[in-house]
Amino acid sequence: MNFGLKDIEWHLNEGYAFIDMTVDVKQDVGGFGELHQFIISNREEKLSISDWYSKSAGNASYLDGIVRGEISKIDDPNIWNDKEWVDVIFAIIAERQH
């Protein structure tokens, strides 16, 4: 695997950074590329991943594609604190498992 930093945006006043990175996965025969987007938050002087979105071969990861749809860029470090939104996500996941 080769990792590359595509973009980083510092939002220091809001306490987070947006990181856009590429990953090239090499296999014995062929390979593929992925794009990962992270929001890293500074909470109580500890860095943590607040949100993560993955695209593989130009498409959203299976779970992200099902429950979140196509996102051009994640931008809400507090999204997982929205209980209503999280409940909808888990309801979609539960529905898909049947």
Side-chain angles (χ1 to χ4, degrees):
M1 297 177 92
N2 293 318
F3 296 89
L5 182 62
K6 188 173 174 189
D7 190 22
I8 187 165
E9 295 175 12
W10 298 99
H11 299 268
L12 299 178
N13 292 338
E14 293 87 15
Y16 75 94
F18 168 78
I19 299 173
D20 199 356
M21 55 187 301
T22 59
V23 180
D24 292 320
V25 180
K26 306 290 183 199
Q27 298 174 321
D28 288 340
V29 177
F32 59 94
E34 296 179 333
L35 172 66
H36 295 277
Q37 297 178 345
F38 296 91
I39 293 180
I40 308 296
S41 294
N42 183 1
R43 294 188 177 143
E44 299 175 11
E45 303 303 317
K46 295 181 181 175
L47 299 179
S48 63
I49 296 174
S50 298
D51 200 5
W52 174 12
Y53 189 78
S54 176
K55 292 183 180 182
S56 178
N59 298 311
S61 73
Y62 180 70
L63 181 61
D64 283 335
I66 288 172
V67 300
R68 298 175 76 171
E70 185 67 27
I71 298 174
S72 61
K73 179 179 169 185
I74 56 175
D75 60 3
D76 184 358
N78 297 305
I79 195 164
W80 292 98
N81 296 328
D82 181 345
K83 183 178 177 348
E84 238 176 80
W85 183 83
V86 171
D87 288 346
V88 169
I89 294 292
F90 281 100
I92 291 169
I93 292 168
E95 182 180 300
R96 297 284 177 156
Q97 290 177 345
H98 293 97

